[in-house]
Amino acid sequence: MASQALWQATFRIGEADLEYMALEASDLPEALRGYQLARAGVLDNVEMAEHGFDGSTAARFRDAGRISGYMREFVPTADVAPADGMNFVGASVVHLFSNPEQVSGWMTDIFLKDFEANLGESVGSGQQIVSVNRVEVEGLYDEAIGLNVLQGGPAGLLSSTVIDFRVGRLLGVAFVGAVGQHDRTDVATELAIALERRMVQVALGSL
């Protein structure tokens, strides 16, 4: 259980603070070191729904207590050719909710259930979810859930390891994508721990 002081500190966090929580290139773990920024910006509920599973709506996310979010995504430099085992993306996202209970609800009722409900379904760009497996997550202060998702498509298999974790009324997400069938729980955990540390520092005003 997170400390009461930290939980209370997250109630002083506003949407403008989220940008300072998402990881920078210098914060990335060794396996992603040297990766370059590909995308960054605010993720409102409308954009989240547009990039979510079929049936996702901004209203559903608002009803779940989500206010907004901010993400940064990093990819290898252009001179790195895709190959089996290569980490093709690493990203961190910070979401702001109305209260900590809604963060917990999102992790189980939206993140987890949506992936498991879409097993075998098409997810666009000719991709299909082949398998969804929960992974053990260690080293985070409060509640955390990890998934390893395998997708298949015309170009072959892609693996995504995603970790969701709670810091008061904040949801942190660490994401690592790899070419082929690979579990990247170790790298995603490093990413999540670095993200959690930064979220706490900003929340407590020590960054």
Side-chain angles (χ1 to χ4, degrees):
M1 176 65 69
S3 74
Q4 191 65 27
L6 175 56
W7 275 40
Q8 289 301 320
T10 64
F11 280 90
R12 296 192 292 271
I13 292 296
E15 294 178 46
D17 298 309
L18 304 180
E19 177 180 356
Y20 302 100
M21 295 182 171
L23 297 178
E24 305 276 3
S26 58
D27 302 313
L28 299 177
E30 187 63 35
L32 304 174
R33 194 58 51 83
Y35 281 36
Q36 61 187 8
L37 183 65
R39 291 191 302 161
V42 174
L43 279 177
D44 61 22
N45 286 320
V46 172
E47 188 168 1
M48 277 283 291
E50 288 174 349
H51 293 89
F53 292 113
D54 285 348
S56 297
T57 65
R60 180 192 182 209
F61 295 157
R62 282 194 301 271
D63 291 345
R66 185 183 185 275
I67 298 169
S68 189
Y70 194 93
M71 63 86 69
R72 284 197 182 91
E73 180 180 279
F74 297 88
V75 299
T77 54
D79 59 348
V80 178
D84 183 66
M86 184 192 78
N87 298 321
F88 65 87
V89 64
S92 66
V93 190
V94 183
H95 305 264
L96 181 65
F97 286 77
S98 296
N99 62 59
E101 291 73 24
Q102 291 167 332
V103 177
S104 183
W106 177 282
M107 290 166 62
T108 56
D109 297 335
I110 293 184
F111 169 62
L112 189 59
K113 286 186 179 178
D114 280 5
F115 268 108
E116 292 181 340
N118 281 277
L119 178 62
E121 299 295 326
S122 172
V123 290
S125 303
Q127 293 284 315
Q128 181 185 43
I129 296 182
V130 176
S131 66
V132 177
N133 295 299
R134 301 190 196 189
V135 296
E136 290 296 320
V137 181
E138 298 180 349
L140 293 162
Y141 195 59
D142 195 14
E143 185 177 359
I145 295 177
L147 291 179
N148 183 253
V149 181
L150 184 65
Q151 296 176 206
L157 296 174
L158 297 174
S159 302
S160 302
T161 304
V162 192
I163 296 174
D164 276 22
F165 63 91
R166 181 172 63 172
V167 178
R169 69 174 186 140
L170 298 167
L171 171 71
V173 181
F175 173 90
V176 179
V179 178
Q181 186 171 0
H182 300 281
D183 185 335
R184 289 291 185 259
T185 303
D186 52 350
V187 183
T189 299
E190 287 185 66
L191 200 64
I193 290 172
L195 178 59
E196 181 187 58
R197 183 183 308 118
R198 193 171 181 93
M199 291 165 64
V200 170
Q201 288 173 334
V202 173
L204 297 178
S206 57
L207 187 65

